[in-house]
Amino acid sequence: MQIFHNPNYNFLRWRWHALILSWIVIAAGIGVIATKGLALGVEFSGGTIVILKFDQTPSIEQVRSALDAEKVGGGGQNIVVQRYGDESQRQVMVRLPHSGEEQGTSLTRTADEVVKAVKDANLGGFTQVGSQVVGPIVGRELTQKGFWATVLSLAGLLVYIGFRFRLSFGVGAVVATFHDLLVTLAFLAFFRYDMSLNVIAAILTVTGYSTNDTIVIFDRVRENLRGMRRDAIDEVVNRSVNQTLNRTIITAGTVLMSVIALYIWGGEVLKGFAFTMIVGTITGTYSSVFIAAAIVTFWRGKRAPKVPVAPSVSVDPGPKKKNNKRDRA
């Protein structure tokens, strides 16, 4: 399947514009995280999530008033009450931070208190369709494991690509992957998605996807360097990106269609995973074309690769004695 026929776009012409755009998004994301913080899921922050399905959906204020009246979880603004899933399902999610020591049945007591408070408030018939309880100790362990999983995956990428290609390619791939992580975190902060285990899984998946896309382009750059020894590195990289453009667009397009379908019809539990995959697929494709290739050109500079010198041909003047005889004759 051919989308572009003999493309010849000058991608490196826009590398500075791409870098500035990326830094604007990343800086805005850092600003949001610094002021509002990154929303942590119950897996990392610890706490209780209870999902209730009502016969007739009450207002959010009614549910909150019922919890405040019974002082569930200490009451106050730390309790999150919001619609859950499609509106036709009439579900409400109650999320409370964990307080107190993590021992015995204290972790499940809060969920029971939520159900009792809503029942005492006479908000209509309802059933508890789900709950999730994570203690603070488990939350800290999951946070540390998620952090080290991300750091070690980046270190492994640098070592692998550094051995397979050259150090400049490895640095370009790692910078592009790190760029993808920061942009994805920025969008998670913009839209206030919780940092859950599903989101961590999506981030690691995006890391692998983005690296694979970058390796395909780098592989073509390495092949072209053998046949374009006299050309500047910018021209070699541009041609390589154009030659792999069809493959890049088709792969990214099929992945995007899958994750968009997952976002629309996958349900509330997979919403964060699908959103992270959508952002990561777009920024991963973008960084492979504009960021990773640009880092390689910055690293190698404008110099052309060395061209081996052709061996000189020596001319044998012939035997001197024969010439002397001819001269005497």
Side-chain angles (χ1 to χ4, degrees):
M1 181 177 179
Q2 292 287 325
I3 298 178
F4 303 96
H5 296 279
N6 299 320
N8 189 26
Y9 302 107
N10 188 358
F11 291 102
L12 290 181
R13 179 186 175 189
W14 301 99
R15 55 189 167 186
W16 286 110
H17 304 78
L19 289 172
I20 292 173
L21 175 63
S22 296
W23 273 114
I24 290 174
V25 174
I26 292 171
I30 293 174
V32 172
I33 294 173
T35 54
K36 297 183 178 180
L38 191 62
L40 295 177
V42 71
E43 300 97 328
F44 299 109
S45 62
T48 302
I49 289 180
V50 181
I51 300 170
L52 304 174
K53 182 173 184 177
F54 290 86
D55 297 336
Q56 298 294 327
T57 312
S59 66
I60 297 298
E61 289 73 19
Q62 287 178 308
V63 178
R64 177 178 291 281
S65 297
L67 299 175
D68 287 341
E70 298 288 336
K71 299 294 182 185
V72 177
Q77 297 299 318
N78 290 330
I79 300 177
V80 176
V81 182
Q82 62 187 46
R83 304 281 182 205
Y84 187 77
D86 190 78
E87 191 171 350
S88 62
Q89 296 180 348
R90 305 180 302 281
Q91 293 181 350
V92 173
M93 184 188 76
V94 179
R95 176 179 164 184
L96 305 97
H98 183 75
S99 59
E101 296 293 329
E102 182 181 348
Q103 58 182 0
T105 59
S106 63
L107 293 177
T108 59
R109 188 184 306 156
T110 307
D112 297 335
E113 290 176 354
V114 170
V115 175
K116 182 177 181 301
V118 175
K119 188 177 295 182
D120 292 344
N122 294 320
L123 299 182
F126 71 91
T127 55
Q128 181 181 346
V129 296
S131 64
Q132 187 177 6
V133 182
V134 178
I137 296 177
V138 176
R140 282 195 295 272
E141 290 179 354
L142 290 175
T143 303
Q144 293 174 356
K145 289 179 180 177
F147 172 78
W148 284 113
T150 307
V151 171
L152 291 177
S153 65
L154 287 175
L157 288 178
L158 178 61
V159 172
Y160 169 71
I161 299 179
F163 272 109
R164 179 172 174 179
F165 297 94
R166 297 177 182 177
L167 183 59
S168 59
F169 290 81
V171 172
V174 169
V175 170
T177 305
F178 198 60
H179 160 275
D180 298 341
L181 294 180
L182 293 179
V183 171
T184 304
L185 287 176
F187 275 91
L188 289 172
F190 294 156
F191 291 92
R192 306 306 297 166
Y193 276 93
D194 290 345
M195 181 62 70
S196 63
L197 286 179
N198 285 341
V199 170
I200 292 292
I203 288 176
L204 293 178
T205 305
V206 165
T207 301
Y209 170 81
S210 174
T211 304
N212 181 62
D213 203 27
T214 303
I215 285 177
V216 170
I217 295 176
F218 282 176
D219 209 32
R220 186 57 60 93
V221 172
R222 184 174 59 177
E223 290 178 8
N224 286 337
L225 277 174
R226 296 168 184 158
M228 300 173 66
R229 296 175 182 274
R230 295 185 181 277
D231 295 305
I233 185 65
D234 288 14
E235 190 171 341
V236 176
V237 170
N238 252 333
R239 180 173 297 186
S240 304
V241 173
N242 278 290
Q243 289 174 343
T244 55
L245 190 60
N246 276 306
R247 182 262 179 204
T248 301
I249 297 300
I250 291 173
T251 304
T254 52
V255 173
L256 264 182
M257 285 191 289
S258 301
V259 292
I260 288 175
L262 197 63
Y263 181 82
I264 296 174
W265 294 293
E268 191 68 26
V269 175
L270 295 177
K271 211 93 173 180
F273 176 86
F275 178 82
T276 307
M277 285 294 298
I278 291 173
V279 175
T281 303
I282 295 173
T283 189
T285 305
Y286 161 84
S287 68
S288 299
V289 174
F290 290 102
I291 305 298
I295 295 297
V296 172
T297 58
F298 293 152
W299 186 283
R300 295 173 64 94
K302 294 286 186 182
R303 66 184 186 278
K306 291 182 179 179
V307 178
V309 179
S312 58
V313 179
S314 59
V315 179
D316 187 2
K320 291 183 178 179
K321 292 181 178 179
K322 184 177 180 180
N323 291 341
N324 292 337
K325 290 180 179 178
R326 186 178 299 170
D327 292 341
R328 287 196 298 268

